[in-house]
Amino acid sequence: MNITLKKKKLQNGKFSLFLEYYKGSSINTEGKRIHLRDFEYLKLYPHQDPKTAAEKKENKEIDTLSEQILSIRKAEYFQGKFDIKNTAKSKRLFLDYFMEKTEDKVDSPKNYGNWTATSLHLKRCISANLTFDEVNEDFVKRVRLYFEKEAKTKSNLSLSLNSKYSYFNKFKAALRSAFDDGYISINYASKIKSFEQAESQREYLTFQELQQLAQTECKYEVLKRAFIFSCLVGLRWSDINTLVWSEVRDEGEVSRVNFRQEKTDGVEYLYISSQARELLQTRQSPTDRVFVGLKYSTVYNNEIVRWCNRAGISKHITFHSARHTNAVLLLENGADIYTVSKRLGHREIRTTAIYAKIVDQKMKEASNLIPTIKL
């Protein structure tokens, strides 16, 4: 493995320093070579063009520190490679490490919430004094058993299957990270099976319901535009909320959106229809948000419910239902599952297949819509 120090330009005139862990390459099922890389962002930001003595001094200190971190990481790698036990790391408290990983997710509210909820459960089943020295396969099994048999909700009910799946996977993610960071010499996360994920109910709008909603007044014009836009293109709330005009490309009669998915951090582009482009309205400055005034709040969430009620729609519709609506409408209108999967940015085709099941079920139901013929 090669460990190198790299930097990325930021818009604020600084660099962001990070380490790249290059682990080689492999050939995927499509015959393409995939390069395996991990990244560690150092949270160090030298000036791109230092002008003052203070800025030059700051850059010099950052350069020294970053090189020291690089040397430490290389030493840690060789310790693991040659099975030299790092006794200092093995004495670290597991829960402290988990909380550190939790805080790394603070910029992603939903993910941070899931990690925080997991930490509360782990504090109930893991001693505060447990160190990485004591982490082994039996320990991981005990934690899994806790989530399976003992863990309760705030209402003192057993956890749902999806909650078990989510919380235990956060625990396993921390174990994998601890292995990568050299706290444990064995990746115990790979040795214990996760919980199965239950197939969740995906509420969506039919085309007729979407038409009703579009013709019904919504208290917040920007919310209405954003929701219908999501129905037409399938973008997540987080990606719509952060969309800026530099990410919207008009190429003749064709428009597309170039963006970085917040959930997967992958760079994507998405062709959009002329109607979807009209919902974006007049182009503004490159750094301006497209949906100005859109924000995540209880007020907006409640308005979606009231808006649906005014349109005569009794389903439990959230903003994310717009994404489900897009998937179902595409499949109903002849798009193949691979195209839909690509547009939605799904990593696995089985995620998209859930929508195909919905369409298939609707076709089955439609087979009985014609009244019985008297013969």
Side-chain angles (χ1 to χ4, degrees), residues 160-223:
S160 68
L161 188 57
N162 279 346
S163 291
K164 294 176 184 178
Y165 170 87
S166 176
Y167 296 157
F168 189 64
N169 275 4
K170 301 296 182 293
F171 168 69
K172 290 181 67 175
L175 287 176
R176 284 193 294 272
S177 181
F179 172 70
D180 290 339
D181 291 344
Y183 287 93
I184 49 179
S185 58
I186 298 174
N187 181 12
Y188 294 108
S190 65
K191 295 181 174 293
I192 306 298
K193 185 179 179 181
S194 294
F195 292 95
E196 294 292 329
Q197 187 174 20
E199 192 170 297
S200 58
Q201 176 71 23
R202 281 168 162 75
E203 287 287 15
Y204 64 95
L205 298 171
T206 64
F207 181 78
Q208 182 179 354
E209 289 169 336
L210 178 57
Q211 186 70 68
Q212 290 172 220
L213 199 63
Q215 294 175 349
T216 301
E217 181 184 358
C218 177
K219 185 176 180 180
Y220 305 102
E221 183 269 345
V222 67
L223 176 62

Side-chain angles (χ1 to χ4, degrees), residues 121 124-125 142-153 156-159 164:
H121 280 288
R124 294 172 190 149
C125 68
R142 289 198 301 274
V143 173
R144 191 187 192 284
L145 188 63
Y146 163 80
F147 283 114
E148 183 178 4
K149 303 288 187 182
E150 301 176 33
K152 302 289 184 183
T153 66
N156 202 35
L157 300 174
S158 296
L159 295 182
K164 294 176 184 178

